[in-house]
Amino acid sequence: MEISARNSFKGTVKKVVHGSVSSEITLEVAPGVELVSIITKSSAEKLGLVEGKQAYAVVKSSDVIIAID
């Protein structure tokens, strides 16, 4: 994976909360360290984000973007 953002953190999906339009994704990037991102529900489903899956928190400016390999 190559991206323009300089900061990315690999972690494990700890929690997924789906709403009608958006999903709240919690990643554990280190023991006791969690990052939370709100993404569209369709993106969460397309990425197959479920508890236990490995993913990345990609930070660019004020946004946290979720990515997978």
Side-chain angles (χ1 to χ4, degrees), residues 13-33:
V13 176
K14 186 166 185 178
K15 184 173 160 184
V16 177
V17 179
H18 293 293
S20 58
V21 175
S22 60
S23 296
E24 180 180 294
I25 311 300
T26 303
L27 288 183
E28 184 173 49
V29 295
V33 179

Side-chain angles (χ1 to χ4, degrees), residues 16-63:
V16 177
V17 179
H18 293 293
S20 58
V21 175
S22 60
S23 296
E24 180 180 294
I25 311 300
T26 303
L27 288 183
E28 184 173 49
V29 295
V33 179
E34 297 177 352
L35 291 172
V36 179
S37 179
I38 304 295
I39 63 174
T40 63
K41 182 178 179 183
S42 61
S43 292
E45 290 170 345
K46 182 178 178 181
L47 293 171
L49 296 175
V50 293
E51 291 182 20
K53 183 168 185 159
Q54 296 290 302
Y56 295 85
V58 180
V59 180
K60 182 160 178 109
S61 187
S62 62
D63 297 317

